[in-house]
Amino acid sequence: RFGFKPIGVPVTIDAGIHSHPPYNAFANSVGISQAAFFYRGDLTLWGNPSSPSHDKDRGICVSSEADDSCPVSFSEKPFALLPRSCTGPLRFAFKTRSWLHSETWLEYGVETHDDSEPPQPLGMTGCDKLAFSPSIDSQPSTDQASSPSGLAFNVDITDPGIGNPDGLAASDIKKTVVTLPKGVTVNPSQAEGLLACSEADLDRESADSEPGEGCPQASKIGTVEVETPLLEGELLRGALFVAEPNDPSTTASENPFNSLIALYMTIKDPQLGVNIVLEGKVEPDPETGQLVATFDDLPQAPFSHFRLRFREGGRSPLVTPPTCGSYETQAIFTPWANPATTYTTTSSFEVAQGASGAPCPSGTPPFQPGFSAGSQNNAAGKYSPFTMRLTRRDGDQDLTRFDATLPPGVVAKLAGVDKCPDAQIALAKVKTGKAELRSPSCPTNSKIGRVQAGAGVGSQLTYVPGSIYLAGPFGGAPLSVVAVVPAVAGPFDVGTVVTRQALDLNPRTGEVTADGAKSDPIPHILAGIPLVVRDIQVYVDRANFTLNPTSCDPFATNASIWGGGANLFSTVDDSPVARQARYQAASCASLGFKPKLSLKLKGGTKRGGHPKLRSVFTPRVGDANLEGLVLRLPRSAFLDQAHIRTICTRVQFAAKACPEGAIYGHARAFTPLLSEPLEGPIYLRSSNHNLPDFVAALHGMVDVEAVARIDSKKGGIRATFTEVPDAPITKVVVNMQGAKKGLIVNSTDLCAQKHRANATLDAHNGKQSSIRPVVGASCKG
């Protein structure tokens, strides 16, 4: 505050600095007294108040008629400092209003030059004489690799001209471009609980505002300290806030740069009335995540020391490089005195330990992922959510993909579940995360579970939830699941992550495999932010969807988890690690087992006739599932080897190219797991036995093979089925051809007496059932 007292009337002038560019000084004089009429005023600020040249103009000497002098005893110190920029014009703005018309402001301005001829000097001169040599020091808060880290970033300037009234001050910094070393990236962990400062929040920041009155405290990620020779003994303090990111779904800009990452820096002192706001853009490299921060149009105010401290701890905003060694931070400064030139300086730091204090990693990073899987309720034959979890340690290779084979008998009820169309999956990939949250792309009835992905380093991760949907064929597999994860964490939205996993079914055992080789990779980096995925939790928890086996034998969920090797951006050095999670159902003995089997021969009943065979297998609902069946037809039925026309080879069968002549019947299998029955031809396929195998190739939403060995037992045809999948069956109908295509020939008149078959049926829970069903025949009466 300045003041003067013409004819005893005090007039005060309040001075300050604007908080935003161009950060110029302003002076206000409000409520000037009407006790004296002011028509004109000349105000001169001395550049060196103690200079003897001002002795006649100070204190009592101003009004004295004598030729007196009023010297002062304090040392000469400069007071006013001219701009350090020679770019013009420099404009002085002025506005005033009268007591009579207090609602009307009159505005005027004076410029240092105009367009007159000859042209006037462009503002100040002599900028080429100003020194400029800032130095930096940049140190992370830890020397451990792949760890959460703060950052201490200092800028120091030596300027002996500031305190010398006859000297020249050094140039101020107009622009700063700081490039952090490769490997120092944004830490996803910081997003958990992080808020952003909007431009409206920033406008509420003032010199005397309390913490939280402007930018939210949860958006603060660092502190600032500034020492300036203009204020001896004063330390200006401030804070660093995360700015509101741009919203990709709108054209409106949420921050001055319309960027994903921007920073607001406030420097304030309530006693001095200082409130400076700086805006910076942070650009991560989209492929490596390397960070470049730019602050432009900085205040023309000299400082000697600038100290920026990013916060430390589990939510630190940065991640240290993954390997030990020396790393260099580069700063490019542009001076106000000569914006056409730049000054580059560097600072180095060392990473001397591995993650968590382990020895420095050498060569390819280690990879020891964790894996767990199982049913929440392991009661045999009951529906239960199935969970799976993959984890990795700090410093390990990135997770890139995984294979998982579920335990035998862990199956899903697909009946009544929709599939997410390919078009909707493609739509999800181009949506913002917030748009996907507002309106999920896949139908609700195709959702079968949820996923949580934990990203970051250190003990505190940022978790992002998503949904899992059933989808159609993918990568050559008949079915797939697709995880749709809106990548919205804290204030950041980096889109929607869509990963699709192919699902294969082993046609012999019924085991389900999520095939990583046919699936989308786990993303490594999004919008320049390495995800550092450390925890993937999968919950297949749709009601009455995942069914437990009816066998209580010990099994396992087997997984192959792939690490990204030394080169994250190449799949050439990716390699798998095998993992197992033990699985065992319980309470199998409580399940019953009393299936029914009916057999009927249709057609010729006389000796030498070739009747058709119809067999119907009907289990009881809620019983244990069938594991094996040994069926021996009565001695009245012989295998007519003369009717074996063509046999399908194993190569032909694998290629689904069996000749039509190798078909000898048809089978249909009904299961509550599917909306439609599985059905298909019955082949005779080559085997290692004396007779070909009986194979029912069932097709539908999935493919299943039912294989039986055929031989003779006590003069009758015997068929032995083994490795029947542990899955519930409602009914199985088998129809074998007769007449000229029939394989069965009668050894006697079927209508002469009753003929019974012998069947031994084994359940997956260990129980057995032996039955002797009557083989019906087409007999009159």
Side-chain angles (χ1 to χ4, degrees):
R1 168 171 287 186
F2 303 94
F4 59 96
K5 294 172 63 177
I7 59 173
V9 177
V11 178
T12 57
I13 302 172
D14 291 323
I17 302 291
H18 281 112
S19 60
H20 291 77
Y23 305 104
N24 52 328
F26 62 87
N28 295 328
S29 184
V30 181
I32 298 175
S33 174
Q34 299 184 73
F37 294 153
F38 293 102
Y39 294 103
R40 175 189 174 96
D42 294 323
L43 177 64
T44 302
L45 292 179
W46 297 336
N48 177 13
S50 61
S51 173
S53 63
H54 304 310
D55 288 351
K56 294 183 179 181
D57 298 321
R58 74 175 81 252
I60 194 171
C61 294
V62 176
S63 57
S64 174
E65 295 181 359
D67 190 14
D68 292 335
S69 179
C70 297
V72 292
S73 60
F74 58 84
S75 60
E76 295 186 5
K77 289 185 178 181
F79 177 71
L81 185 62
L82 291 179
R84 276 73 64 208
S85 171
C86 293
T87 302
L90 301 179
R91 178 174 176 81
F92 293 79
F94 175 81
K95 64 180 182 179
T96 183
R97 66 182 181 183
S98 69
W99 280 103
L100 184 59
H101 302 288
S102 59
E103 71 284 353
T104 302
W105 286 93
L106 303 179
E107 298 189 21
Y108 306 91
V110 177
E111 293 185 350
T112 56
H113 75 284
D114 53 27
D115 296 329
S116 61
E117 293 292 342
Q120 300 297 312
L122 298 180
M124 313 305 295
T125 61
C127 284
D128 57 330
K129 300 177 182 179
L130 303 187
F132 187 68
S133 57
S135 63
I136 67 167
D137 181 63
S138 178
Q139 299 293 325
S141 60
T142 178
D143 66 349
Q144 297 180 0
S146 298
S147 301
S149 176
L151 182 72
F153 183 81
N154 302 328
V155 181
D156 297 309
I157 295 179
T158 301
D159 188 358
I162 286 288
N164 182 1
D166 297 322
L168 289 176
S171 175
D172 300 320
I173 299 172
K174 179 184 185 299
K175 180 180 179 180
T176 303
V177 179
V178 177
T179 303
L180 296 182
K182 285 186 178 180
V184 177
T185 57
V186 171
N187 183 9
S189 294
Q190 73 163 329
E192 189 77 16
L194 183 70
L195 297 180
C197 180
S198 68
E199 291 187 307
D201 294 331
L202 190 65
D203 288 341
R204 290 193 295 272
E205 287 284 339
S206 63
D208 55 358
S209 60
E210 294 294 329
E213 290 182 356
C215 292
Q217 284 298 97
S219 66
K220 180 180 175 180
I221 62 170
T223 60
V224 180
E225 293 180 349
V226 179
E227 294 182 41
T228 171
L230 303 183
L231 300 170
E232 292 183 358
E234 293 285 349
L235 182 64
L236 301 179
R237 302 179 187 275
L240 187 68
F241 301 97
V242 173
E244 188 79 29
N246 67 312
D247 187 345
S249 63
T250 68
T251 57
S253 175
E254 301 294 341
N255 60 64
F257 313 103
N258 195 28
S259 62
L260 175 67
I261 306 177
L263 301 174
Y264 293 140
M265 187 185 302
T266 61
I267 302 171
K268 60 175 64 178
D269 188 306
Q271 292 184 339
L272 296 172
V274 172
N275 179 43
I276 301 296
V277 174
L278 307 179
E279 299 165 341
K281 180 180 182 181
V282 179
E283 299 173 279
D285 185 281
E287 294 185 356
T288 66
Q290 185 176 19
L291 299 171
V292 179
T294 302
F295 283 82
D296 201 357
D297 289 327
L298 301 177
Q300 290 191 63
F303 66 87
S304 52
H305 303 288
F306 171 87
R307 292 183 286 272
L308 173 64
R309 299 289 185 273
F310 285 96
R311 71 183 181 195
E312 302 177 19
R315 301 292 183 199
S316 295
L318 299 175
V319 178
T320 54
T323 57
C324 292
S326 181
Y327 294 87
E328 188 173 84
T329 301
Q330 181 193 76
I332 301 176
F333 295 104
T334 300
W336 273 106
N338 190 356
T341 64
T342 58
Y343 182 87
T344 302
T345 183
T346 60
S347 173
S348 63
F349 63 85
E350 297 291 325
V351 175
Q353 304 180 72
S356 304
C360 284
S362 60
T364 302
F367 189 57
Q368 295 296 325
F371 177 72
S372 61
S375 301
Q376 289 186 5
N377 172 13
N378 69 337
K382 302 298 182 181
Y383 286 102
S384 169
F386 191 88
T387 63
M388 190 181 300
R389 186 175 188 181
L390 288 76
T391 59
R392 60 176 281 276
R393 306 172 304 176
D394 279 333
D396 273 12
Q397 300 172 38
D398 262 21
L399 299 170
T400 59
R401 56 190 175 96
F402 73 96
D403 301 334
T405 300
L406 302 185
V410 177
V411 291
K413 184 178 180 180
L414 303 180
V417 182
D418 293 335
K419 299 186 189 69
C420 184
D422 290 351
Q424 297 304 112
I425 296 173
L427 176 63
K429 292 181 178 180
V430 298
K431 290 170 66 175
T432 65
K434 292 179 180 177
E436 178 64 25
L437 286 172
R438 289 192 298 267
S439 178
S441 300
C442 291
T444 301
N445 195 40
S446 65
K447 183 176 178 180
I448 60 173
R450 54 194 173 88
V451 62
Q452 274 212 130
V457 296
S459 59
Q460 301 181 57
L461 304 182
T462 292
Y463 282 90
V464 179
S467 299
I468 302 175
Y469 301 93
L470 182 68
F474 181 71
L479 293 170
S480 60
V481 291
V482 57
V484 180
V485 181
V488 179
F492 301 112
D493 180 353
V494 293
T496 300
V497 178
V498 179
T499 51
R500 196 168 179 180
Q501 193 94 4
L503 290 181
D504 277 319
L505 182 76
N506 186 314
R508 289 292 308 276
T509 66
E511 291 172 294
V512 178
T513 296
D515 194 339
K518 301 177 182 178
S519 306
D520 294 330
I522 300 170
H524 164 67
I525 188 169
L526 289 176
I529 300 178
L531 299 183
V532 201
V533 177
R534 295 245 323 274
D535 188 2
I536 299 176
Q537 301 172 24
V538 178
Y539 303 88
V540 183
D541 55 4
R542 181 185 177 110
N544 297 327
F545 180 75
T546 308
L547 191 62
N548 293 338
T550 59
S551 169
C552 286
D553 291 341
F555 297 118
T557 303
N558 294 287
S560 293
I561 306 172
W562 296 71
N567 186 351
L568 298 177
F569 304 99
S570 171
T571 58
V572 175
D573 60 347
D574 290 7
S575 59
V577 172
R579 290 289 184 266
Q580 274 193 345
R582 188 180 184 277
Y583 184 96
Q584 190 169 20
S587 304
C588 291
S590 64
L591 301 177
F593 186 62
K594 288 187 177 181
K596 294 181 180 179
L597 179 66
S598 67
L599 299 167
K600 187 172 185 179
L601 295 172
K602 292 184 177 183
T605 59
K606 303 297 184 181
R607 176 184 171 88
H610 293 81
K612 299 177 182 179
L613 172 64
R614 177 181 175 84
S615 172
V616 179
F617 171 72
T618 310
R620 193 172 61 176
V621 176
D623 276 4
N625 297 322
L626 177 70
E627 181 182 24
L629 166 66
V630 179
L631 172 65
R632 184 168 60 85
L633 295 180
R635 295 181 181 180
S636 59
F638 281 85
L639 177 66
D640 191 344
Q641 297 191 40
H643 277 208
I644 297 178
R645 305 177 300 275
T646 305
I647 295 176
C648 182
T649 68
R650 294 187 180 187
V651 174
Q652 290 172 325
F653 188 86
K656 298 183 178 180
C658 289
E660 187 174 349
I663 299 175
Y664 293 86
H666 184 272
R668 300 183 77 193
F670 298 82
T671 170
L673 303 180
L674 302 175
S675 300
E676 301 292 335
L678 300 175
E679 58 182 309
I682 296 173
Y683 297 102
L684 288 185
R685 190 181 68 184
S686 59
S687 72
N688 296 327
H689 312 119
N690 292 331
L691 293 174
D693 285 341
F694 170 103
V695 181
L698 305 177
H699 305 290
M701 184 175 288
V702 294
D703 292 344
V704 173
E705 299 172 15
V707 182
R709 176 185 175 181
I710 301 175
D711 61 2
S712 178
K713 177 72 172 178
K714 295 182 179 180
I717 302 172
R718 182 173 65 177
T720 302
F721 291 87
T722 58
E723 293 185 340
V724 178
D726 190 357
I729 297 171
T730 305
K731 182 171 64 173
V732 178
V733 179
V734 174
N735 289 295
M736 299 298 295
Q737 297 172 345
K740 294 181 179 181
K741 296 182 178 181
L743 292 175
I744 297 175
V745 59
N746 300 328
S747 64
T748 185
D749 186 345
L750 299 182
C751 296
Q753 63 183 59
K754 285 184 179 181
H755 300 277
R756 291 181 179 272
N758 287 285
T760 302
L761 302 99
D762 295 312
H764 276 280
N765 68 343
K767 293 185 176 181
Q768 192 176 76
S769 176
S770 296
I771 55 178
R772 298 186 67 238
V774 173
V775 179
S778 303
C779 300
K780 294 181 180 180

